[in-house]
Amino acid sequence: MSTSTFINLPIRGGGLEPVQALERSDNAWSTRRGSNVPGDSAEVVERKVKGLLNKLTMERFDSISDQIIDWANKSEKEKDGRTLIQVIRLVFEKATDEVAWSEMYARLCRKMMEQISPAVMDEGIRNTEGQPITGGLLFRKYLLNRCQEDFERGWTDQVKTAAAAAEKAQDDEAAKKSNETAQGGEEVSFSDEYYAAQKSKRRGLGLERIMHECIKKLLSNVDNPGEEKIESICKLFTTVGQSLDTSKARSHMDIYFKRMRDLSESPNIDSRMKYMLLDVFELRSRAWVPRNAVAAPTTLASVHEQRRRRQQPGRRMQPA
C-alpha cells in the first residue's frame, strides 16, 4: 500500500505509527433533512410540486411552470407514467379549488401538453396501431381521464356533501350575521360542514371551467383534428354533457355542437368518427338520456318528469 494513503500521528513514547486516512463512503450518512428519501419518490414529488403550485403566479409563470414540467418529466424513467399522473392530479386539484385562477391553470395545462418529453410513455395505454401513447398525447389522455373520473366519482360525492351540509351551512350564515350585528363584526367560528360546503362549491365551479377549457382545446381544429381528439370529445360529452348543458351555459354548448356538426361533415374524418359524433348529437336530443334507459321499463312518474324537463324554457331538443 502506498505511503501516501497514510497520515503520521505522534504516539506517546516517541514512536510513530502509520494510521490509514478516512475516506468518504458512497452511502455516508448525512444530517441533511430528507436525505434518506429518494429524489423521485412520491412523497418528494408531492411536497415539491405542491410548493411550486403555491408559488405559481402570472408574474412568475414561466420559471415556476418550467420546474413543474421538469418534475412531470421524471416519468421518462417509468413505464406507467405514475409521476406524470401524480403531477396532473396536483394541478387538477389546485385548479378546481382556485376558480379565480382557472385561466392560469389552463395555460399551465397547455404548456405541459406541448412540452412533456416524448420519452414519457405508458405501456398500458396504446393507440390504434398498438404503439404506446407518449408525450403530449399521453398528458392529454391522462388529463381527460382525470376529468371524467372526477365527474363519475367525485362530482356525486361533492353534490351529496353540499346537500348534506346545506342546512347546517345556512344556520352558520345566520349565526354569522347575528354575531356580527351583536358583536360589531367579531370573528365567528364555523362548523366543518360549512367549510365542506364552501369547498365543494369552489371545486364544482372550478371543475366546470376546466371542462369548458378542455372542450375548447379539443374543438380548436375542425379541419383535421385527428381520431384521438374526436374520440376524446365524444367520450367527454357522453360523461359530462348533461351536467354542462345548463341554461346558463346553453349558448356555449350550442357553439360546441355547431363546431361538432361542421366536424362531422368534414371529408377528412372516416365513417366511424362520424357515427360517434352522430351518437352524441342524438344523446343531446334525448336530453342526455341514454338509448338503453329510454327503452327500459319505467314508471309513469318518470315519464312525466322526462317530459317536464324537455319542455323547460330554453332547452334545445335538436343538436345545434
Side-chain angles (χ1 to χ4, degrees), residues 16-30:
L16 295 177
E17 180 179 336
V19 178
Q20 188 171 0
L22 296 175
E23 297 180 358
R24 174 175 287 275
S25 171
D26 291 336
N27 60 350
W29 180 85
S30 171

Side-chain angles (χ1 to χ4, degrees), residues 239-250:
T239 305
V240 306
Q242 185 174 20
S243 298
L244 294 179
D245 201 5
T246 62
S247 57
K248 185 177 179 180
R250 191 66 39 75

Side-chain angles (χ1 to χ4, degrees), residues 37-45 71 74 77-78 82-83 86:
V37 180
D40 56 353
S41 69
E43 293 82 3
V44 172
V45 174
W71 280 99
K74 289 184 179 294
K77 302 176 183 178
E78 304 160 354
R82 60 183 178 275
T83 300
Q86 184 180 8

Side-chain angles (χ1 to χ4, degrees), residues 19-183:
V19 178
Q20 188 171 0
L22 296 175
E23 297 180 358
R24 174 175 287 275
S25 171
D26 291 336
N27 60 350
W29 180 85
S30 171
T31 58
R32 182 173 60 85
R33 183 180 180 184
S35 59
N36 62 327
V37 180
D40 56 353
S41 69
E43 293 82 3
V44 172
V45 174
E46 190 89 6
R47 176 165 51 85
K48 293 291 188 179
V49 175
K50 277 186 175 181
L52 289 169
L53 288 170
N54 287 335
K55 298 176 184 176
L56 186 65
T57 62
M58 292 304 297
E59 291 76 15
R60 304 180 63 188
F61 181 84
D62 290 337
S63 62
I64 299 297
S65 61
D66 285 344
Q67 295 178 65
I68 293 172
I69 292 172
D70 287 342
W71 280 99
N73 279 337
K74 289 184 179 294
S75 275
E76 288 178 334
K77 302 176 183 178
E78 304 160 354
K79 295 182 179 180
D80 56 3
R82 60 183 178 275
T83 300
L84 176 57
I85 293 174
Q86 184 180 8
V87 173
I88 289 174
R89 173 181 61 79
L90 294 171
V91 172
F92 188 89
E93 290 175 353
K94 190 73 171 176
T96 54
D97 199 41
E98 297 185 353
V99 183
W101 299 101
S102 58
E103 184 177 347
M104 181 179 69
Y105 292 114
R107 180 179 171 185
L108 173 61
C109 288
R110 183 175 185 85
K111 182 175 179 178
M112 292 180 70
M113 185 174 68
E114 294 172 348
Q115 297 188 15
I116 288 297
S117 169
V120 175
M121 60 172 287
D122 188 333
E123 292 187 344
I125 301 179
R126 299 176 178 267
N127 58 22
T128 54
E129 298 175 353
Q131 299 298 319
I133 297 178
T134 64
L137 290 177
L138 181 62
F139 171 83
R140 188 177 66 198
K141 190 81 171 177
Y142 281 158
L143 180 60
L144 290 173
N145 286 345
R146 176 70 197 188
C147 291
Q148 290 163 355
E149 288 173 5
D150 210 276
F151 258 85
E152 292 168 356
R153 297 184 304 181
W155 184 264
T156 301
D157 293 340
Q158 290 167 17
V159 171
K160 287 181 179 178
T161 299
E167 184 176 352
K168 181 62 177 174
Q170 289 176 357
D171 292 342
D172 285 341
E173 285 284 7
K176 176 183 176 182
K177 293 178 180 178
S178 175
N179 276 274
E180 286 177 347
T181 302
Q183 302 175 17

